[in-house]
Amino acid sequence: MILGVAVILGILFGLFAARWKKESWQPPTLRHSWLVVVFFLPQLLAFFLPATRNLFPDPLASASLVVSQFGLFLFCILNWRTAGIPILTIGLLLNLVVILANGGFMPISTETVSRLVSPDTASQLAIGERLGVSKDILLAPHAIIFPWLADRFAPPDWISYRFAFSLGDIFIGLGAFILLVFPARQAASIQKGSVHYVNQLNF
């Protein structure tokens, strides 16, 4: 959810900034973009597609999440000099650390869950088990390793759609926002680097 909002806002702000400068907005230029598709696919199948997510047992779902995170982290390293990517990479790393430390799923505390669902629903959830087919595993607050990196934040009560997000998600969203707002600067930077390289060859 945080990433989706960041992408929408990034495109809108990017279009506005480009129009203000009387420039055309272009999607960011990234190297090895196919890696995003390849490494997001395990998450898509294991957690998001209704037709496939119920087919993944917990160990396989966990492995899919970890492999996906590692792959996306690799993609970010390959694009490290692009605006927004360093911040996004930090977010991926924070999420990966807490996921690995807590058995391969993103931990969420009983306290956080109580802010998202009704008391009756919360009482029916089992500690130590996943929340349905999500990436979250329900743990007691004292049992979470690196609790400040877990899914511990929730939107204000006046927002009807309830969800939890982590510190890493905030960094990922911020990085994606910057990536989409300043694509022209990225393209100029890439072009400048190419010209410099050509000049070196000519020299």
Side-chain angles (χ1 to χ4, degrees), residues 156-180:
D157 293 337
W158 51 267
I159 297 179
S160 58
Y161 184 75
R162 310 304 295 163
F163 62 95
F165 55 95
S166 66
L167 180 62
D169 293 335
I170 296 174
F171 275 90
I172 291 172
L174 179 59
F177 176 81
I178 294 173
L179 177 67
L180 292 167

Side-chain angles (χ1 to χ4, degrees), residues 66 70 94-107 145-146:
V66 172
F70 268 113
L94 293 178
N95 281 350
L96 181 58
V97 166
V98 71
I99 286 170
L100 289 175
N102 290 275
F105 290 107
M106 173 60 76
I145 301 174
F146 305 132

Side-chain angles (χ1 to χ4, degrees), residues 28-162:
T29 302
L30 299 169
R31 297 188 299 161
H32 308 292
S33 298
W34 57 272
L35 287 173
V36 176
V37 177
V38 170
F39 285 109
F40 181 71
L41 186 60
Q43 280 198 59
L44 180 67
L45 296 175
F47 302 103
F48 298 105
L49 284 184
T52 58
R53 62 188 182 186
N54 290 315
L55 303 177
F56 281 69
D58 285 358
L60 183 56
S62 172
S64 299
L65 178 60
V66 172
V67 168
S68 180
Q69 294 286 319
F70 268 113
L72 295 173
F73 180 77
L74 172 63
F75 166 77
C76 288
I77 294 299
L78 294 174
N79 290 275
W80 180 259
R81 295 190 177 183
T82 304
I85 289 294
I87 298 176
L88 199 155
T89 306
I90 292 173
L92 282 173
L93 183 60
L94 293 178
N95 281 350
L96 181 58
V97 166
V98 71
I99 286 170
L100 289 175
N102 290 275
F105 290 107
M106 173 60 76
I108 185 170
S109 71
T110 51
E111 179 182 354
T112 300
V113 167
S114 68
R115 298 160 57 194
L116 305 177
V117 300
S118 66
D120 289 340
T121 301
S123 65
Q124 298 174 13
L125 301 175
I127 294 179
E129 295 188 4
R130 289 173 63 192
L131 297 182
V133 290
S134 74
K135 295 181 286 185
D136 289 293
I137 184 170
L138 181 63
L139 297 174
H142 67 274
I144 297 177
I145 301 174
F146 305 132
W148 56 91
L149 299 181
D151 272 354
R152 58 178 302 181
F153 303 105
D157 293 337
W158 51 267
I159 297 179
S160 58
Y161 184 75
R162 310 304 295 163

Side-chain angles (χ1 to χ4, degrees), residues 187-200:
S189 177
I190 292 173
Q191 183 178 9
K192 181 179 179 181
S194 300
V195 171
H196 178 69
Y197 178 70
V198 170
N199 289 338
Q200 284 184 322

Side-chain angles (χ1 to χ4, degrees), residues 15-27:
L15 289 169
F16 176 80
R19 181 161 185 162
W20 181 267
K21 297 178 181 179
K22 297 181 179 180
E23 300 173 347
S24 61
W25 183 87
Q26 298 292 332

